[in-house]
Amino acid sequence: MARRRIPAEDGHRALAQVADGSAVRADVAAAVRFTLEELAELAPGNSVEVRVPPFGVTQCVEGPRHTRGTPPNVVETDAATWLALVTGSMTWPEAVTAGRVAASGQRADLSAWLPLFGRRA
């Protein structure tokens, strides 16, 4: 179970501010961190590392635990792309095809868990 640092109310508020265009950097950071925590809750495990620099990182998805060096399964993207993925305004295939997500490893496809909120593609 992921450690909660962003209360759900604060996370949803930050997501709403991102969606309506009123978000400042702190809101974007809170939204990213909250959604990474949500992903870790939905897909518990340690086989995939999801990085959204500079705001956050989480490990998720069942499978072999990674303990040293660069993880074999890594997903990295920017905050705007990550928030588009978790809210359903962009699909996983769209983001990968556009080169907006770097995903390496056999378990690095997060399409089974995204979007976290909003429509399913």
Side-chain angles (χ1 to χ4, degrees):
M1 196 156 161
R3 288 185 314 184
R4 281 278 173 198
R5 295 186 181 179
I6 307 292
E9 182 178 303
D10 294 346
H12 287 289
R13 185 179 315 109
L15 281 170
Q17 289 171 315
V18 168
D20 73 17
S22 67
V24 296
R25 182 177 168 87
D27 301 321
V28 173
V32 167
R33 291 176 185 137
F34 171 68
T35 55
L36 288 171
E37 291 171 0
E38 288 290 306
L39 177 63
E41 284 283 322
L42 182 65
N46 297 95
S47 70
V48 178
E49 186 167 287
V50 181
R51 302 172 181 167
V52 186
F55 301 116
V57 63
T58 195
Q59 291 188 353
C60 57
V61 182
E62 282 187 30
R65 181 176 180 83
H66 169 75
T67 56
R68 301 177 70 179
T70 302
N73 302 287
V74 176
V75 172
E76 188 165 340
T77 190
D78 62 277
T81 301
W82 176 250
L83 294 172
L85 287 166
V86 300
T87 59
S89 61
M90 178 181 283
T91 67
W92 181 262
E94 289 169 342
V96 171
T97 300
R100 295 185 60 184
V101 170
S104 62
Q106 293 178 333
R107 299 174 185 270
D109 182 345
L110 299 180
S111 59
W113 297 280
L114 297 174
L116 297 173
F117 309 99
R119 63 184 178 267
R120 283 251 178 221

